[in-house]
Amino acid sequence: MDTTIPGDEPTPSVQIDADRLEANITAMASATRARGVALRPHAKTHKIAEIAALQLAAGAVGLTVATVGEAEVFAGAGVEDLFIAYPLWVDQAKGDRLRRLASAARITVGVDSAESATALARSLGSAVGAVAVRVEVDSGHHRSGVAPGDAATVAVAAADAGLEVTGAFTFPGHSYAPGMPLTAARDEDAALGVAAAGLRAEGFAAAELSGGSTPSALMGGGTATELRPGVYVFGDAQQWELGTTGPGDIALTVAATVVSHHRRTPGEPGHLLLDAGSKVLGSDRAAWATGYGRLLEHPEARIVALSEHHATVQWPAGEPLPARGTRLRVVPNHVCLPVNLVDEVQVVRDGAVIDRWVVAARGRNS
Amino acid sequence: MDTTIPGDEPTPSVQIDADRLEANITAMASATRARGVALRPHAKTHKIAEIAALQLAAGAVGLTVATVGEAEVFAGAGVEDLFIAYPLWVDQAKGDRLRRLASAARITVGVDSAESATALARSLGSAVGAVAVRVEVDSGHHRSGVAPGDAATVAVAAADAGLEVTGAFTFPGHSYAPGMPLTAARDEDAALGVAAAGLRAEGFAAAELSGGSTPSALMGGGTATELRPGVYVFGDAQQWELGTTGPGDIALTVAATVVSHHRRTPGEPGHLLLDAGSKVLGSDRAAWATGYGRLLEHPEARIVALSEHHATVQWPAGEPLPARGTRLRVVPNHVCLPVNLVDEVQVVRDGAVIDRWVVAARGRNS
């Protein structure tokens, strides 16, 4: 196992393994192509124009984004088809931005109420035809979206307001738990099926049925016409623990240095302190996660405590503690957070830093 | 109660109430002055040069920072006395940066092992005398630091390596739990007392004994000569729940818009969805916290789920759900995270945005 960490600059730093990244992009593109379903990767995971270009070159039909600001960044980088997959509340300022965006790219926005569809249409004014909408339905994650049987009601309101309704979408986020990906995929199939039937009954063509999350993306029964996984490009400790990926496929790690050995009480297993904390790893920890992150080359080690600048690692019993000054590769729990905490990432191939990519959409929360 | 949220730009946005900020800065400065103890606020909480200037103008002896990068930013802004209050591992590159820093400001660094002191001295080379060190002791937080009785051993190693040892410090981070601030303050007193005695026995003057966290800062028995609270400038939902601050003193909020009303199951209390998630609030949630954050003007509301761009708020039974499009003020759980997620903050006084401050040290993790 190559445990050399390229680069000699200060830790913590976010490193992308180019070979693994490309392999992950190719694998998802091939799998969705084989199923005859369109791939629209969620770019909130990486926020990087160079990675978007790789996804599109591999056959993605466009990108999914989280905010108007992310859409602006990727449209500026030449992406021609963008879906903002959340129920936005569009006031006049946001409407103006969407109008400008729609002159550069095909823009689709999520709606999950008659009120939000009406506000969107009102803010677009005479450009109401320039932005398409999909109705969000709740397939079991219970964050946003209407009940699948109510999709048609929202679609009618949107159409009455002058918007083009192109379909429905859902985020089966309850797939992020052990044993749940298949259940969530089936829930997604069912929800999109109900939504589609409702839309058809109201006379909508409703061709686009969009679903998908990294854990559930390849488990669906064929109802979705499009999938929107995001995390698959990098993998993370959550996916490792869910079994969606293995450590050999994880493409993003945070290089960190051992700065302290801490013996909390005599007889306790060994602990070490790394100089990577929540301000570079993020502090997401699902109830089922075994820690705040893992180490790529030490699968039995666990981050058992996390503060802003430090990770406390419980070291496997029987393994000697690495010396202070040793660099280790941390696998974050949820990889969508670290990219949003740095201005650039290092791109690594064959043990060397070969490029640096700017995180162009970092901090674009609105 | 003024529930108008100033500004008309896109949400989420981070807003600082200037009056409350100044009152918090004055109150801590007065309280520490009255106790005859020096105040060295932790600047990782705000990362903003303008706030540092207010703290110094109110009498702070200097600033505490988390990283060499933060020290560089604040030295560049004219701060003349900086303490990097963590056990750094200093390689040649970091040693070069510390040498340059020491030509602009008085720099003190934490050490918690003979190895880290030796590495620091080696990297400083002929400039070994330009950087002072304090020995970190563990007063009960169990993150870093040696046992208080071992402080002298580390100090002797540092002095043998040529470093000036000016004292000891501790972070009583176990103060961040209900009922624990007073216990942590007493533990801090005890740990600093033991460390000081050990240093004196080895012939060190050991004048500087630094402690303090926002919950425990004003509960100590007088052993510390210096305190390093950070969060007190803003307050947050954690401090609100610990009783360290009340909602009327909270100076930083995240303005967010209601984007969806979500009825998860019939009969369940009302929920709404805000457009502020972990990418602006941070996702810290202590085991004892009642949620992922609170709402300033609605103390009974709770953020019960948090994703990257959305907060799910359980609304108090009996209160009507605010309409979609309503702006609300979110109080983050842990205020050190939001400032690190935005490039600038809006400064609000008398209901108007009067200034914008750049988060100059955002992302300076190394």
Side-chain angles (χ1 to χ4, degrees):
Chain A
M1 190 188 307
D2 172 22
T3 57
T4 313
I5 297 185
D8 55 3
E9 49 220 293
T11 54
S13 60
V14 174
Q15 300 191 327
I16 310 283
D17 182 305
D19 290 333
R20 291 180 179 188
L21 173 74
E22 290 168 13
N24 292 340
I25 289 172
T26 302
M28 186 62 80
S30 302
T32 50
R33 192 179 300 116
R35 281 163 176 73
V37 60
L39 175 62
R40 184 186 290 276
H42 209 314
K44 73 178 166 66
T45 301
H46 57 73
K47 291 174 171 275
I48 292 171
E50 288 84 349
I51 295 179
L54 291 172
Q55 291 174 318
L56 293 166
V61 297
L63 293 184
T64 307
V65 294
T67 64
V68 176
E70 284 188 352
E72 289 166 338
V73 168
F74 286 107
V79 180
E80 295 172 350
D81 191 331
L82 291 158
F83 174 34
I84 307 173
Y86 294 106
L88 296 180
W89 183 263
V90 178
D91 57 12
Q92 197 52 56
K94 208 159 262 183
D96 292 345
R97 293 165 67 197
L98 283 174
R99 259 207 314 277
R100 282 195 293 274
L101 263 174
S103 68
R106 177 180 182 247
I107 301 295
T108 307
V109 170
V111 292
D112 78 344
S113 66
E115 290 86 345
S116 61
T118 308
L120 169 64
R122 190 173 54 232
S123 303
L124 288 170
S126 61
V128 65
V131 171
V133 299
R134 292 170 171 175
V135 179
E136 183 173 11
V137 297
D138 181 1
S139 55
H141 183 45
H142 302 321
R143 181 178 65 192
S144 50
V146 293
D150 293 335
T153 308
V154 177
V156 168
D160 286 350
L163 292 158
E164 181 195 5
V165 180
T166 58
F169 75 105
T170 191
F171 173 59
H174 54 315
S175 63
Y176 279 73
M180 286 301 290
L182 184 58
T183 301
R186 288 176 177 160
D187 290 345
E188 172 185 295
D189 278 329
L192 291 177
V194 170
L199 292 174
R200 274 195 303 270
E202 290 289 343
F204 292 97
E208 299 171 356
L209 297 172
S210 180
S213 69
T214 291
S216 63
L218 302 177
M219 296 181 176
T223 308
T225 63
E226 172 188 289
L227 295 171
R228 308 186 314 277
V231 168
Y232 79 95
V233 285
F234 296 140
D236 57 21
Q238 285 186 163
Q239 301 302 322
W240 186 0
E241 300 206 334
L242 289 175
T244 312
T245 192
D249 296 318
I250 290 172
L252 182 148
T253 54
V254 177
T257 301
V258 179
V259 296
S260 183
H261 289 172
H262 193 65
R263 208 170 290 109
R264 307 206 286 189
T265 55
E268 219 191 10
H271 286 81
L272 56 82
L273 197 67
L274 294 172
D275 63 354
S278 61
K279 279 181 172 169
V280 68
L281 299 174
S283 39
D284 275 11
R285 180 181 176 170
W288 46 266
T290 61
Y292 288 96
R294 299 181 65 166
L295 299 185
L296 190 62
E297 285 92 1
H298 303 275
E300 301 307 317
R302 285 296 181 284
I303 297 179
V304 293
L306 192 69
S307 48
E308 286 163 63
H309 293 280
H310 294 97
T312 300
V313 178
Q314 184 171 316
W315 202 247
E319 283 190 40
L321 278 183
R324 295 177 189 82
T326 304
R327 291 182 175 213
L328 297 170
R329 270 187 260 249
V330 179
V331 183
N333 266 355
H334 182 193
V335 77
C336 299
L337 301 183
V339 289
N340 191 47
L341 289 161
V342 295
D343 291 318
E344 66 169 33
V345 299
Q346 299 170 16
V347 187
V348 173
R349 199 189 301 269
D350 296 334
V353 175
I354 57 165
D355 205 351
R356 282 154 206 283
W357 289 338
V358 172
V359 185
R362 180 196 55 72
R364 299 299 296 261
N365 280 318
S366 61
Chain B
M1 189 187 308
D2 173 22
T3 57
T4 313
I5 297 185
D8 56 0
E9 49 220 293
T11 55
S13 61
V14 174
Q15 299 191 328
I16 311 282
D17 182 304
D19 290 333
R20 292 181 178 187
L21 173 74
E22 290 168 12
N24 292 341
I25 289 173
T26 302
M28 185 62 80
S30 302
T32 50
R33 192 178 299 116
R35 282 164 175 72
V37 61
L39 175 62
R40 185 187 290 276
H42 209 314
K44 72 178 167 66
T45 301
H46 57 74
K47 292 174 171 277
I48 291 172
E50 288 84 350
I51 296 179
L54 292 172
Q55 292 174 317
L56 293 166
V61 298
L63 293 184
T64 307
V65 293
T67 63
V68 175
E70 284 188 351
E72 289 166 340
V73 168
F74 286 107
V79 180
E80 295 173 349
D81 190 330
L82 292 158
F83 174 34
I84 307 172
Y86 294 106
L88 296 181
W89 183 262
V90 179
D91 57 13
Q92 195 54 54
K94 209 159 259 183
D96 293 344
R97 293 165 67 196
L98 284 174
R99 260 208 314 276
R100 284 193 292 274
L101 264 175
S103 68
R106 176 179 182 249
I107 301 295
T108 306
V109 170
V111 293
D112 78 343
S113 67
E115 290 86 346
S116 61
T118 307
L120 169 62
R122 190 174 53 234
S123 302
L124 290 170
S126 61
V128 67
V131 172
V133 300
R134 292 169 171 176
V135 179
E136 183 174 10
V137 296
D138 180 2
S139 55
H141 183 44
H142 303 321
R143 180 179 65 193
S144 50
V146 293
D150 293 335
T153 307
V154 176
V156 167
D160 286 351
L163 292 158
E164 181 194 4
V165 180
T166 59
F169 75 105
T170 192
F171 174 59
H174 53 315
S175 63
Y176 279 74
M180 286 302 290
L182 184 59
T183 301
R186 288 176 177 160
D187 290 346
E188 172 185 295
D189 277 330
L192 291 177
V194 169
L199 292 175
R200 276 196 302 271
E202 289 289 344
F204 292 96
E208 299 171 354
L209 297 172
S210 180
S213 69
T214 290
S216 63
L218 302 177
M219 295 181 176
T223 308
T225 64
E226 173 187 289
L227 296 171
R228 308 187 313 279
V231 168
Y232 78 96
V233 287
F234 296 139
D236 57 20
Q238 285 187 163
Q239 302 302 322
W240 186 1
E241 301 207 333
L242 290 174
T244 312
T245 194
D249 297 318
I250 290 173
L252 183 148
T253 54
V254 177
T257 300
V258 178
V259 296
S260 183
H261 288 174
H262 194 64
R263 209 170 290 109
R264 305 204 289 189
T265 55
E268 220 191 8
H271 286 81
L272 58 81
L273 198 67
L274 294 171
D275 64 353
S278 61
K279 279 181 172 170
V280 68
L281 300 173
S283 39
D284 275 10
R285 180 180 177 172
W288 45 265
T290 61
Y292 289 97
R294 299 181 67 165
L295 299 186
L296 190 63
E297 285 92 1
H298 303 275
E300 301 308 316
R302 287 295 182 283
I303 298 179
V304 294
L306 191 69
S307 48
E308 286 163 63
H309 294 279
H310 294 96
T312 301
V313 178
Q314 184 172 315
W315 201 247
E319 285 189 39
L321 279 183
R324 295 176 188 82
T326 304
R327 291 184 174 210
L328 297 170
R329 271 187 259 250
V330 179
V331 183
N333 267 356
H334 182 194
V335 78
C336 298
L337 301 184
V339 290
N340 192 47
L341 288 161
V342 294
D343 291 320
E344 67 170 31
V345 298
Q346 299 170 16
V347 187
V348 173
R349 199 189 302 267
D350 296 334
V353 175
I354 57 164
D355 205 351
R356 281 154 207 282
W357 289 339
V358 173
V359 185
R362 181 196 55 73
R364 299 299 296 259
N365 280 318
S366 61

